[in-house]
Amino acid sequence: QQSNDLFGGIDDVLPSRSPAMLAIYETVRKIAGGESTTVLIEGESGVGKDVVAGLIHRTSARRDGDH
């Protein structure tokens, strides 16, 4: 099993190297680096909006608070 350290120790990120997922990971990094950001995540049921929201929260400076 290949190590996946895309998000500094958060190891439950889906390990993908597809261009679409890499673009999502880069967007998450940009959002998480902001001091105060409001994000609207849209998509059909079952596409992983909650996973992306959790990833943004866990990689942000506000990770110790509620999301």
Side-chain angles (χ1 to χ4, degrees):
Q1 181 161 324
Q2 186 178 9
S3 174
N4 180 34
D5 192 25
L6 295 169
F7 290 99
I10 296 176
D11 58 2
D12 62 343
V13 176
L14 180 66
S16 175
R17 299 285 179 200
S18 75
M21 286 306 296
L22 290 175
I24 291 171
Y25 296 154
E26 183 59 28
T27 301
V28 166
R29 282 189 204 93
K30 289 177 182 177
I31 293 168
E35 289 184 26
S36 179
T37 305
T38 300
V39 178
L40 174 63
I41 302 170
E42 296 181 305
E44 295 180 23
S45 178
V47 297
K49 296 178 297 290
D50 57 333
V51 174
V52 172
L55 184 58
I56 291 168
H57 180 72
R58 292 182 299 153
T59 57
S60 73
R62 298 168 60 180
R63 67 183 148 268
D64 294 327
D66 294 335
H67 98 273

